[in-house]
Amino acid sequence: MYPPPMFMPPGMFKPQRSFARIIFTTLATAVFGLSITLNLYLLAFSVLGGGLGLSRAAGIEQTVLVEGDPKEKIAVIPVSGVILTNTADRFNAMLTAAEKDPNVKAIVIDVDTPGGAVTPSDEIHARILRFRQQFPTRPVVVTMGGLATSGGYYVSCAGEYVFAQRTTLTGNIGVILPRYNFSKLAKSYGVEEVTVTAPANGFKNAGSSLAPIDEKDNEYLQGLINDAYGSFKTAVKTGRAGKLAGKIEEIANGKVYTASEALSLGLVDQLGYATDAYDK
């Protein structure tokens, strides 16, 4: 078995001594919101422990960031840490809670993440687009913290308007499938790969870390991540339609961009801090 494809910067994971698991480093998160009119009520949803229900008792806490008209709310929903399955579940629960509150007039998605697994990143992206389609009069704005790379940008490009702090790192548009091959090391200790699969000459054991590298396995695994990469490029091209300053193939090269570089490439709309977002 090998880890699933990831929307992650390559420096964010390290092999453990067992070589069988990946350690992901989570970074500190920052919370700030955005107001599109004066005197609005900012509603922050933060997930506590427990289930995914919509009441506070079920695990969602609502915190007032800036007091204003209680009938004119903005919901600030965080996407922080490594994006995994529970991240997508929590995001869906929080956005559903905002949908059910008729006083919520806009959504701010606070992104501070190095990325994560492909599937939950795609689920969050699709959930944002579904909200925008169902509630076209409720704006969705993204604000980036220290990191909005890889899966973090995949999520961000679903927003209508994207803010980045001047020190934000973003982009890193690409897919990575972590692999380590120890067949030469194993051979020196008399260890041989003898795994049995059905079909015998199929791809069930493709990419085994103890078997010699096989070119047909490499092509097979490359095809898997190429498909995810294609979806990523399409998401960026569609989400930033008319704003990208260059061809998507040149921009989506796996590079991490500074905020100013991202602005010049059309990956974000504006640089600014929390107060700038409030003023907007």
Side-chain angles (χ1 to χ4, degrees), residues 100-119:
K100 293 187 175 183
D101 186 343
N103 294 322
V104 172
K105 308 301 182 184
I107 303 293
V108 172
I109 302 171
D110 180 6
V111 178
D112 199 341
T113 170
V118 168
T119 297

Side-chain angles (χ1 to χ4, degrees), residues 192-196:
E192 184 180 0
E193 170 73 83
V194 292
T195 301
V196 177

Side-chain angles (χ1 to χ4, degrees), residues 24-98:
F24 294 103
T25 303
T26 57
L27 304 180
T29 63
V31 176
F32 60 64
L34 175 144
S35 172
I36 55 173
T37 61
L38 295 177
N39 198 35
L40 288 187
Y41 179 100
L42 289 168
L43 184 64
F45 288 86
S46 62
V47 171
L48 309 176
L52 297 172
L54 302 181
S55 68
R56 177 169 181 171
I60 294 180
E61 181 182 76
Q62 301 180 14
T63 304
V64 177
L65 299 180
V66 178
E67 292 190 2
D69 185 347
K71 295 183 179 180
E72 298 287 333
K73 299 178 184 178
I74 291 178
V76 182
I77 304 179
V79 178
S80 59
V82 177
I83 299 174
L84 300 173
T85 299
N86 62 341
T87 314
D89 292 339
R90 290 196 302 263
F91 183 86
N92 178 60
M94 290 185 283
L95 188 54
T96 300

